[in-house]
Each structure stands twice: as structure tokens, then as C-alpha cells.
Amino acid sequence: MKKSLFIFFILLIFISCKDKKNYEFTNEIVPTPAFVEFGKNVLNVSDEIYIIFEDSSEDGKKITDYLTNFLSKNFSPKFINEAQDKKTNIFISIDEELPAETYSLDIDNNGVYLKSGDHRGLFWGIQTLRQLFPVEIEKSKLSENFVLPHVKIFDKPQFRYRGMHLDVCRHFFSVEDVKSYIDLLVMHKFNTFHFHLTDDQGWRVDIKALPKLAEIASQRKETVIKKNTGIYDGIPYGGYFTHDEIRDIVKYAEDRFITVIPEIEMPGHALAALSAYPEIGCVGGSYDAATSWGVFDDIFCAGNEETFHFLEKVIDEICELFPNSPYIHVGGDEAPKVRWEKCPKCQKRIKDEGLSNEHELQSYFVQRMEKYINSKGKRIIGWDEILEGGLAPNATVMSWRGEEGGIDAARQGHDFIMNPTSHCYFDYYQSEDIDNEPFAICCLIDCEKIYYWDPVPNTLSKDERKHMLGVQANLWTEYILDRAHIQYMVLPRMAVLSEVAWSKAPRDDYSEFQNRLQSLFKRYDALGYNYAKHELITEKN
Ligand code: ACM
Ligand code: ZN
């Protein structure tokens, strides 16, 4: 008897050791959670998934719809209010003790437990859970049942603003392309899509009160080949989003807890608009939407009241189309003052308003538009040039020419977002071997450089740092023509930026991060994404 008991225990130890050996998990999650600890065992996922989440709120329904859709190739999840015996139970709940976007995700023998302070946090928790599922779930029916690791995760974002920008002016993209870009934001826990809608080379949103914007300003005669070579393709180019299409994009983003911030450029980058409404330029015409790249002298006239009436009509419709965005981005960058210097109306405005120069005139312009936008319950964001000539009272600054703009803004008590050209311009090359890269605007920003970037200026005091909302990468599309090329430029750089934007963990071991990237690459493969392969570790011979 004693002997058989002894054998039984030896067998038990053997089995449990064997189990331990089988289940050694390492963290493969990108961005890495604030806390993650794997157990030594697994939860077997049955054919039937029950989701204990009865939330009839609008945001609750977004969670339900997303999960249903995500799991639909393999399961028909049922949303109920009581766990089911011997089935896979996923318990989802709001825990008001937790801050916004913060979540906990625990998996044990009894099921999956996801909690967050808000629905957005639940959604990010689902994105983490997604990375624990086999990659095949992204594209097809799984061939067999699978297991989830026992794990305890507690996670919260480093920054409350985590943005990705897309320029649809230099090249235009379809609604489906934009949605697919939003899918990338989702996967990498970015919460803001900065939608750059107007520029010299094309105006891309219908404004019903100003029909010539869609009709004329959305079109250009042709496009220069590469970087202002003087050789043109001779092919008319154009496109714009209708109101229904914009609403469709905004809904798609908001169903995924992503805020869409529209950008309407002023006073510069206005050539396309002037081609349709020449009377609001300083010299009255004739103007054509730009067919090459760069900065153009013709900008909106700041002395003409009609300019402000025009822009107010635009803002009226933009506020209607983006009702939930707290911000309207008003551009403000790269506005040469040469026309204003010679324009009698602009000079009269400078005199009448007691301004000392054209920089102060730009400040007058932005402040006037800010007042209008504030009156509609929204705030403005502008590129860091809006600091010149005096910052509008409630403006948030996007620091792009370096980090100084952000530092200045914070010292003046204003919020800022970091997106310097040094680390956040994903239209730049990602490899030194540019002969084997698609043509790009300039300069090298590779993954390792982004990884080691500390976006919080150490010259700022603790109080000033509170003005740092977060980080963003920009994708200008002079040389980017299609979805596959967009994906190539942002993947995997946005995965690295997500680590900067989301994770609080120290970034001091690039190879550890690179190892985690390898798992993400498998998911990109399953999703058919066209990602740059420089960080892919291939089997050595
Ligand atoms: C910018 O890149 N002109 C903001
Ligand atoms: Zn003028």
C-alpha cells in the first residue's frame, strides 16, 4: 500500500514536471504591458465561448460587436450574465476603481477575466488578449482547439494621446484604405487618428456650402515625378470624401474607440482651396492646385473678411462631421509671408489691429479662428509655427520641427504633442540601403532609433511635463501611392512607437523588443500586411 502510494506521488511529480516543461511562456506582447506574469499552466479553449458581459450601453455594444466579429470565423460567442460550466467563459466588466484606459487581464482555469475603468480600456485589453490567441485566428478557421496561457496582466498607457496621422492630400486613398489604416492603430493601441484633409495639392472633403472645393480644389492637373524633378506625369489626379464617406470613416474609428481629429490647413497650404475661390488669396488669382511638392507663397489673405467667412463655413461642416473630436487641427505650418508683406488688405489689417509684423498677423488669424472653433465647443491644435507671433489662448501645439515647440508651449502653460521629424516622420527612410527602398523624402529613422527615444523633454519641470499629452507619427504621402506602400512605411515603426507611447517599462534592451516583434510579424503575415522586413530575424544557415 505504502509502496503504491509512493509510486503514485512519483508519477504525480513526473506529470507536473512534464507540464511545467511544456508551459514556459515568455512575454510576446507589443506594446509590453506594465505588469505581466505568466503561470505554468493553460486554459483549454472549448468550441463554445460564453462572454459574461451584459452591457446595453452604446460603448458596451461596440465591445460586443467587435468581439463577435473577431471570433466569428471560429466561434459564435454568446453574451450572457452567468458563467457556463465546462465551457470557456470570458468575464468582462467595468471596474470604476480603475483609471481611464487602464485594464487588468487574468486568465486561469476558470476563464478569462477582463476589467477596466472604461470601455476604451476594455478594448485595449481585448487587443492584448488578441495577441494571446494563435495568429491563425486572424485569417481563418483554426484547425484544432487551442489553449490560452495562465497569466496576470495589469496595464495602463504612458500617454493619454497616442496618434497616427495620414495625409490624404498629396495622394488620395479610398475609404477602405483609411479603414485599414485605422485597423493598424487599433492593433497597436493608438487612440487618435489625425486626418490631414486639405493641402496645396488637393482639398479632400466636400463642403456643401462651398461646392467648388469638391468640384475644383480636389483636382490637380498632373503630378511631378519624384522630388520636384521638373518632369510631370501628365495625368490629372483628384478625389475627395463625401459627407457620408467621412461619417462612415468616423463611425468605423469610433466603433474601435479611436478619436478622429480633422485637419484644415490655414493660413498656408491653401493653394488648392484658392484654385476654387481665388478671391480669398492676396492677389486674387490665378491659382492652380500644386502639381509639385513643397511650400507655396500663395496663402489665404488675412486682410479679407471673406477669408474668415469661407473658413467659418468650412468649420461649421467639419464640426458636424466630427462631432466627437474635442479638437480641430488648424495647421498653421509653413505659411510664407511674402504675399502678406505686399498685400494692401493684409497691411491694413496689421495697422488696424495694432500688430507689429506678419507673424503677429498669423497669430491674429489663428486666434480669430480659435475663437470661432471654441464657440463651437472645440479646441484647436496647430503645428509649432503657431507659437510665432503669440500663441492662441487655448491652443495645443504639435511639436514637429524638433522638441523646442513642445518645450515652449509647456512653459507658456499650453498642452503639446511630440512628433519631431527626428523620430516621428514615417515618410522618411527606414534603412540606409536606400537603393533597395521605395523612394522617400529623405533621412533615416529606423526602429532602434525610435525605441531609444525619450519623448519627454528632461528640461521641463514636473508641472510643465503635465502638458505633454503624448506622441504621434506622421505619414505624409508625396511618394506613397497605395495601401501596401502605406503599410510598408508604418510597419513595424508604429509598433516601436506604440512601445514608446503606451509602455511605462524602461526601454533598455532592444533585442528583447526585437524578439517580441517576431511574434507580431507572424500576426502581420496572417493579416496579409506589407511590412518592412529589416527587423525580421531569419533562420541563420
Ligand atoms: C509639417 O510637416 N509641415 C507639419
Ligand atoms: Zn492679403
Side-chain angles (χ1 to χ4, degrees), residues 269 333-334 383 400 425 476:
H269 290 291
D333 59 322
E334 299 177 320
W383 300 109
W400 75 278
Y425 270 50
W476 303 101

Side-chain angles (χ1 to χ4, degrees), residues 124-159:
W124 303 136
I126 289 166
Q127 294 308 316
T128 298
L129 179 60
R130 185 178 167 190
Q131 289 191 34
L132 299 173
F133 279 113
V135 292
E136 293 76 25
I137 202 166
E138 302 282 353
K139 63 165 180 188
S140 55
K141 187 140 180 62
L142 298 167
S143 50
E144 51 194 43
N145 287 353
F146 64 98
V147 296
L148 285 168
H150 284 188
V151 70
K152 280 189 182 306
I153 293 174
F154 179 79
D155 204 6
K156 57 182 181 179
Q158 155 107 312
F159 296 117

